[in-house]
Amino acid sequence: DVLDGKEVLYYQTSNAGSSTTIRTNRLYSGGALGLNVQGQGMKAYVWDGGGARSTHVEFPNNKVNIMDGAALDDHATHVTGTIVAQGLTASLKGIAFDASADSYDWNNDYTEMATQAASGMLVSNHSYWIGQGARWIFGAYDGRARQFDLIAFNAPYYLGVTAAGNDRDDVGSALVGPQLNEKFGYDLIRGMQNGKNFLTVGAVTQVNNYTGPESVVMSGFSSWGPTDDGRIKPEIVAKGVSVRSTLVTSDTASGVKSGTSMASPAVTGAVVLMQQHYHNIFNNYMRAATVKGLLLHTADEAGFYDGPDYEYGWGLLNAERAATLITNKNTGIAIMDELTLTSNETYTKSITVSGTSPLMVSISWTDRAGAANGGTVDLATLTLVNDLDVRVVKTDNTTYFPWTLDPANVSNEPLRTQDNFRDNYEKVQVDNPGGTYNIIVTHKGTLTGGSQDFSLIVSGPQVLSTKETVKIDDAISIYPNLVANSLNFAVTNSIVLSDVSIFDVTGKMIISSKDLSSNSIDVSRLQSGVYFAKFTSDDKTVTKKFIKQ
């Protein structure tokens, strides 16, 4: 394309471009992370306007199965391809291309979703909207939003991913046009997409190389939030402009579509990969609140201001950073804890950090269903049932609050001066951290049900879990850092080590030893590359990075 007669822009129109944008390609065999996470043994679920063309060459070996006799549908085939297309044509390769998919039409979707969620379904994609065509539905927590939250609360490992909608350029619509004139593109997300436990996805153009917020360009159509009660929607963005994927017209057909319908399945595929990577290391899966929180916690900044907004949500999905945080949990330099807060309880965790990158602390939870709006325009009643709060307090009593937005001033800069009382995901950012901090999680009012499960994620500089860990960190040194056959370590200050474990960059434990009498570990059998040595003393650990020749 030529702009102003002088500038030529080149666009890559493919599922592969979606993978580049959100960096899932860094998890594949040969990718930058040294992993082989491609969806092997995993399954995604797709509800759409019909069934995907299961005989398409990009769906070999019964990769895609139609579950409810749905008629074949072009949109469903395109969406499903973005998640699992095998990549026989390289540009069509899906985000989780070694995974399989079950394909349903949207008739009886919630009944089917509840059944599959009870049977272990981890993630499903919903690139459609069902609801009433009335003005009140924009931003509303309607009956379908409530019903989804009921399903999600009863199946804590199940995450639904949905498209934000494409209404922002629909000026000629009798329904949408007046809303655009009044709200200037905001307050457009409809119905079930406003569910608290849905992960709602907006659409941006392709990002070939993220260098900062300006790298992420909003599409002209992607619907913006907030919800009527001021919650952040969409929560995250991915590529949704000019995406080439599989089509229904033949077993080899492909074509280009644009929409948040194309962005949502990219995120669904990323969820599949995150769950696979986590399972590879820990042999279990994350709660839905954990994987949702992980993606929001590690998203790349987008939009005019730092922090969240009602356009890009928390930013552009960054699968490389999310997978790395999972790995860092295993090597002890990040925190991903699944916890429960009981009524009138305060959870506190002390951490010590050093470094130049921001300290990020977030909590995420699957909230109980709220009261549905039955038809009131812009009903601002809060839908949050269990209101958890996270603060970070430094030892000098400086208090750091989570990011908050003001729904009365939708384009204003986000603040960090008060508790977040709207969203079931909260994030505290401490710039230029150093020293010891207390992470404090409390709740307001009474917890319905007497308790609330939540997930805590902490990352940034090296995160040490207690003050005592600083002592062990200072007390251990390793040498040489470019190791040939033996990794030597020195211990001072009367520290007594119980064991040393060696991990590769995937987080997999390669060597573990309790025989530490020689103050060295034989690493001669390791291949060249980067590794982590985790030293343990009582309940205190420290991780050191080294390079094997």
Side-chain angles (χ1 to χ4, degrees), residues 41-58:
M42 302 294 291
K43 181 186 287 188
Y45 293 74
V46 179
W47 275 264
D48 212 289
R53 187 182 181 101
S54 59
T55 57
H56 199 287
V57 294
E58 290 291 347

Side-chain angles (χ1 to χ4, degrees), residues 493-546:
N493 293 351
S494 302
I495 296 295
V496 178
L497 294 178
S498 57
D499 63 84
V500 178
S501 301
I502 308 296
F503 298 84
D504 65 14
V505 293
T506 72
K508 180 180 179 181
M509 187 170 67
I510 307 297
I511 298 171
S512 180
S513 178
K514 294 184 181 297
D515 180 9
L516 309 177
S517 58
S518 65
N519 278 31
S520 69
I521 301 292
D522 180 7
V523 294
S524 59
R525 67 184 178 88
L526 299 182
Q527 295 181 347
S528 298
V530 176
Y531 294 87
F532 299 90
K534 182 160 76 171
F535 298 85
T536 302
S537 170
D538 297 328
D539 62 341
K540 299 174 282 292
T541 64
V542 65
T543 300
K544 302 281 189 178
K545 183 167 69 173
F546 68 93

Side-chain angles (χ1 to χ4, degrees), residues 327-394:
T327 303
N328 288 347
K329 164 184 166 63
N330 194 39
T331 55
I333 55 175
I335 296 168
M336 291 177 62
D337 289 345
E338 295 184 335
L339 305 161
T340 301
L341 192 73
T342 58
S343 285
N344 301 316
E345 179 188 7
T346 296
Y347 170 87
T348 303
K349 188 178 190 71
S350 179
I351 61 170
T352 300
V353 299
S354 61
T356 56
S357 57
L359 169 65
M360 304 288 194
V361 177
S362 66
I363 58 171
S364 176
W365 67 99
T366 298
D367 196 32
R368 293 174 177 270
N373 180 359
T376 302
V377 175
D378 293 339
L379 180 65
T381 303
L382 296 176
T383 60
L384 199 61
V385 174
N386 284 338
D387 181 7
L388 304 190
D389 292 303
V390 61
R391 299 179 183 181
V392 176
V393 182
K394 197 174 181 179

Side-chain angles (χ1 to χ4, degrees), residues 199-269:
L199 179 55
T200 304
V201 183
V204 297
T205 62
Q206 179 159 324
V207 180
N208 289 318
N209 180 32
Y210 179 89
T211 58
E214 66 282 353
S215 300
V216 189
V217 179
M218 177 58 62
S219 66
F221 52 80
S222 188
S223 293
W224 293 346
T227 62
D228 287 345
D229 64 335
R231 286 179 290 115
I232 296 170
K233 291 282 181 177
E235 289 100 339
I236 205 161
V237 295
K239 178 181 176 179
V241 177
S242 298
V243 178
R244 180 176 294 276
S245 186
T246 47
L247 291 182
V248 77
T249 46
S250 77
D251 286 348
T252 58
S254 67
V256 175
K257 292 181 183 291
S258 294
T260 56
S261 287
M262 286 65 250
S264 178
V267 173
T268 298

Side-chain angles (χ1 to χ4, degrees), residues 26-38 277 323 327 505-507:
R26 310 292 177 89
L27 283 68
Y28 304 156
S29 178
L33 293 182
L35 304 174
N36 182 27
V37 174
Q38 302 172 165
H277 182 41
T327 303
V505 293
T506 72

